[in-house]
Amino acid sequence: MARFLTEDHVRQLLPMDEALAQVEACFHALGTGQARNQPRRRIRLPDGMMHVMSAGDVGLGVFGHKVYTTTRRGARFLVTLYSTDDGRPLAVLEASLLGAIRTGAASGIATKYLASSDASVLGVLGTGRQAPTQIQAVCAVRPIERVLVYSRNAEKREAFAQEMAASLGIAVEAADSAQEAVASADVVAAITDSKRPVLAGAWLKPGAHVNAAGNNMLAEQELDVEVFRRAWLITTDSLEGAKLECGDLLAAVEPGSVQWEDVVEIGQVVAGRHPVDRPADAITVYESQGIAAEDLYAAVHVLRKAEAEGIGTELPF
């Protein structure tokens, strides 16, 4: 019987430390070819969109896909898992929170491999539903002592800073501008849905690492081209997917500031196939589109814990 798991089950069964381990294993599997990932495809209608992305892993013995819809009334996410042995459905999971957690964890793993080991200041652009997990993940892999956050709404960013400070027990401050939020940051997280750049490369201090995780549409852009001109290393979760939907990189590739051949998949770094001997003043970038393989690893982990603890509802497939 397949198991149905809710958002509350995911919240209970997928703490950030475990999500980080699963996403790191996912990236390693992609880097070695154990996992296969299919980029997102979209169907557009006048009132909304359906987004479909899939992955499989021979080690896990599981295929999976995430399907979600976006309309004026919001977004709804489901992940479905299948056995690679006999094709039977294994689970259906509500996946809004799962997506936010694994997106944060992906930035955390990129930070673990690319950022300075003594990074202590985090700058965050964006205070929406995905911002908390970006902060949690980076704080889990680096000795962050201070977080500066900026969004356009002053009241919202002040409230967000207070909530995160209480949650993490470290200094979290609302900045008056995007530049102020990132100028002293060792790690920068851009987690917005902006169509125009919110982060200028000229603001970055030498040695900064940037996680760009907010956009996955070619018409949207969080980073200006100068970020990439200054970057010593540019990585992404899926090069195939980035060519289809990374507006940041497209804007840098079109004028010739970046060549696609210069962009490295993070799985190659995690698997040791692209060693990183990082100069102290090097700027590094991780472009996160969000891929199905991350959902697969996170969902399988949640399912296995749910089975062990007898959690969830059996579906009559």
Side-chain angles (χ1 to χ4, degrees), residues 214-226:
N215 290 344
N216 52 41
M217 293 278 196
L218 284 178
E220 298 174 346
Q221 192 178 351
E222 290 187 294
L223 315 186
D224 75 359
V225 174
E226 185 63 19

Side-chain angles (χ1 to χ4, degrees), residues 80-104:
T80 306
L81 303 177
Y82 304 84
S83 167
T84 60
D85 180 45
D86 56 13
R88 62 189 171 88
L90 301 173
V92 178
L93 298 85
E94 291 184 327
S96 177
L97 182 59
L98 184 143
I101 294 171
R102 64 80 157 148
T103 301

Side-chain angles (χ1 to χ4, degrees), residues 2 9 14 16 23 26 71 87 101 119 137 142 144 167 177 192 207 235 312:
H9 293 138
L14 191 62
M16 181 53 72
V23 171
C26 166
T71 69
I101 294 171
R142 285 294 182 269
I144 301 298
S167 172
S177 68
T192 76
T235 65

Side-chain angles (χ1 to χ4, degrees), residues 127 135 147-150 155-168 170-175:
T127 56
I135 299 173
V147 181
L148 295 163
V149 299
Y150 175 78
E155 184 177 341
K156 183 175 180 180
R157 67 179 180 254
E158 288 284 355
F160 179 83
Q162 292 177 18
E163 291 169 7
M164 294 306 300
S167 172
L168 297 171
I170 61 175
V172 183
E173 306 161 31

Side-chain angles (χ1 to χ4, degrees), residues 279-299:
D281 62 349
I283 289 174
T284 53
V285 179
Y286 170 59
E287 278 286 352
S288 174
Q289 306 309 297
I291 57 175
E294 297 163 6
D295 294 305
L296 182 76
Y297 266 73

Side-chain angles (χ1 to χ4, degrees), residues 10-300:
V10 172
R11 183 176 291 105
Q12 176 184 346
L13 299 172
L14 191 62
M16 181 53 72
D17 61 335
E18 295 177 16
L20 284 161
Q22 292 304 311
V23 171
E24 185 170 16
C26 166
F27 287 157
H28 190 277
L30 287 166
T32 60
Q34 174 181 306
R36 304 289 177 86
N37 186 80
Q38 178 67 36
R40 188 176 1 243
R41 296 293 188 271
R42 294 179 166 101
I43 297 174
R44 299 173 185 266
L45 293 177
D47 293 330
M49 265 192 291
M50 174 173 280
H51 317 247
V52 182
M53 47 207 289
S54 56
D57 188 282
V58 295
L60 295 179
V62 178
F63 291 120
H65 66 258
K66 180 163 77 176
V67 178
Y68 62 103
T69 55
T70 50
T71 69
R72 294 183 182 89
R73 296 185 178 182
R76 298 177 182 272
F77 300 79
L78 289 175
V79 167
T80 306
L81 303 177
Y82 304 84
S83 167
T84 60
D85 180 45
D86 56 13
R88 62 189 171 88
L90 301 173
V92 178
L93 298 85
E94 291 184 327
S96 177
L97 182 59
L98 184 143
I101 294 171
R102 64 80 157 148
T103 301
S107 292
I109 296 305
T111 302
K112 175 180 176 179
Y113 281 83
L114 301 178
S116 173
S117 61
D118 61 354
S120 62
V121 179
L122 169 63
V124 182
L125 304 181
T127 56
R129 70 178 186 87
Q130 296 241 15
T133 58
Q134 293 288 314
I135 299 173
Q136 292 162 8
V138 172
C139 287
V141 301
R142 285 294 182 269
I144 301 298
E145 298 174 355
R146 185 182 184 215
V147 181
L148 295 163
V149 299
Y150 175 78
S151 64
R152 290 174 295 178
N153 186 307
E155 184 177 341
K156 183 175 180 180
R157 67 179 180 254
E158 288 284 355
F160 179 83
Q162 292 177 18
E163 291 169 7
M164 294 306 300
S167 172
L168 297 171
I170 61 175
V172 183
E173 306 161 31
D176 292 330
S177 68
Q179 183 173 0
E180 181 185 335
V182 306
S184 62
D186 304 301
V187 180
V188 176
I191 186 72
T192 76
D193 59 0
S194 179
K195 291 180 171 57
R196 290 181 289 184
V198 296
L199 175 62
W203 301 342
L204 296 172
K205 64 182 281 189
H209 168 69
V210 177
N211 295 313
N215 290 344
N216 52 41
M217 293 278 196
L218 284 178
E220 298 174 346
Q221 192 178 351
E222 290 187 294
L223 315 186
D224 75 359
V225 174
E226 185 63 19
V227 173
F228 300 102
R229 291 196 187 107
R230 295 188 65 193
W232 175 77
L233 177 64
I234 302 166
T235 65
T236 190
D237 42 17
S238 164
L239 187 56
E240 182 182 6
K243 290 178 179 180
L244 293 172
E245 59 187 24
C246 185
D248 287 342
L249 282 171
L250 179 66
V253 168
E254 283 187 337
S257 299
V258 171
Q259 304 296 318
W260 284 116
E261 293 77 13
D262 298 330
V263 181
V264 177
E265 290 190 344
I266 192 67
Q268 296 295 305
V269 175
V270 174
R273 297 188 173 185
H274 187 95
V276 176
D277 186 12
R278 186 183 192 278
D281 62 349
I283 289 174
T284 53
V285 179
Y286 170 59
E287 278 286 352
S288 174
Q289 306 309 297
I291 57 175
E294 297 163 6
D295 294 305
L296 182 76
Y297 266 73
V300 169

